[in-house]
Amino acid sequence: MSLVSNLVPLLLIALLCIYAVHNRLTTQVNRFHHAFVHLGIQLKRRYGLVEELLRSPGIKLNDNHPTVEALVAANDEAARCLRLARHCPGEEAAMAELTHAENTLDSALVRLAQMVERSTELDASKEIKRLLDELDEAEKRITLMSQIFNGTVMRYNTYKHGVSRVWLANALGHRQDATPLGFDDSEMTPQAFQPAF
């Protein structure tokens, strides 16, 4: 009888520990999912700005230009990857695909900005300049939100790998680490617009 009465408190303590770890893991997952939602809002805003830029009269006249075609394709691909990644933030394949698409879009935007600077007609357009400035601001927000997302992912991974929690996290279904994004943190600065000679 005394053995059973000694085991009951130990069992309760073990259950409370499991419950606490489970709650903390769930909280950490919710945090990086929430951070991804906010990042997604900024990314969608940028895709909209790119579409608006592509509809502007000066750019519209250059529809068949390889730089414009590359930007259209990159923007569409990035939007597609974001739609897929929204259902599984932190999953390795989805994050890798989104990272690649976003880095391709960044490169396409820089090439377009260089094209605008080389063209006196496009460079004089106030509408295009306004949109490029808004895209620069969007880039800054995206950089901030991706850093927040990556920080929450790293906190989740660090907590999960704590010495006393590794086996418990696996048993509770948290087997895979969450994957951070690897966006190039290059903002669309005026230096990025300089034509490469």
Side-chain angles (χ1 to χ4, degrees):
M1 188 70 153
S2 65
L3 180 62
V4 172
S5 62
N6 287 339
L7 284 177
V8 169
L10 290 175
L11 186 59
L12 284 173
I13 290 170
L15 287 172
L16 284 173
C17 287
I18 291 169
Y19 179 75
V21 168
H22 174 69
N23 275 351
R24 183 77 186 270
L25 287 168
T26 302
T27 299
Q28 296 287 344
V29 168
N30 288 339
R31 283 185 181 152
F32 77 73
H33 281 225
H34 185 71
F36 191 82
V37 167
H38 286 283
L39 172 61
I41 290 167
Q42 296 305 319
L43 291 173
K44 283 169 60 174
R45 180 176 179 271
R46 178 168 68 163
Y47 305 151
L49 286 169
V50 169
E51 287 173 7
E52 194 176 335
L53 179 64
L54 290 167
R55 285 191 304 268
S56 66
I59 303 294
K60 195 87 172 131
L61 291 173
N62 292 293
D63 263 352
N64 295 326
H65 193 286
T67 301
V68 175
E69 289 178 348
L71 182 57
V72 169
N75 198 52
D76 291 346
E77 178 63 9
R80 184 192 71 79
C81 290
L82 177 62
R83 281 192 302 274
L84 295 175
R86 278 192 334 219
H87 303 293
C88 48
E91 185 186 279
E92 186 176 5
M95 296 301 98
E97 200 173 346
L98 181 59
T99 294
H100 177 71
E102 283 297 321
N103 290 339
T104 302
L105 178 57
D106 285 343
S107 297
L109 282 167
V110 168
R111 285 194 305 276
L112 180 81
Q114 290 170 342
M115 182 182 101
V116 167
E117 282 205 350
R118 285 191 295 262
S119 165
T120 52
E121 181 184 311
L122 293 176
D123 194 38
S125 168
K126 289 181 181 175
E127 176 67 9
I128 291 174
K129 281 187 177 182
R130 179 189 66 80
L131 288 166
L132 287 174
D133 287 344
E134 285 187 39
L135 278 164
D136 188 36
E137 284 303 310
E139 286 294 324
K140 291 174 184 169
R141 288 191 194 103
I142 288 166
T143 298
L144 176 64
M145 296 311 299
S146 66
Q147 289 169 349
I148 291 170
F149 171 74
N150 287 345
T152 57
V153 163
M154 298 314 288
R155 280 191 289 280
Y156 165 74
N157 290 339
T158 301
Y159 179 77
K160 187 170 97 73
H161 286 287
V163 174
S164 62
R165 296 177 295 273
V166 172
W167 64 272
L168 191 53
N170 287 337
L172 293 170
H174 295 264
R175 291 177 186 83
Q176 298 295 321
D177 283 357
T179 303
L181 290 162
F183 292 172
D184 291 339
D185 288 337
S186 60
E187 295 171 5
M188 290 181 55
T189 57
Q191 292 83 0
F193 295 165
Q194 296 302 318
F197 294 105

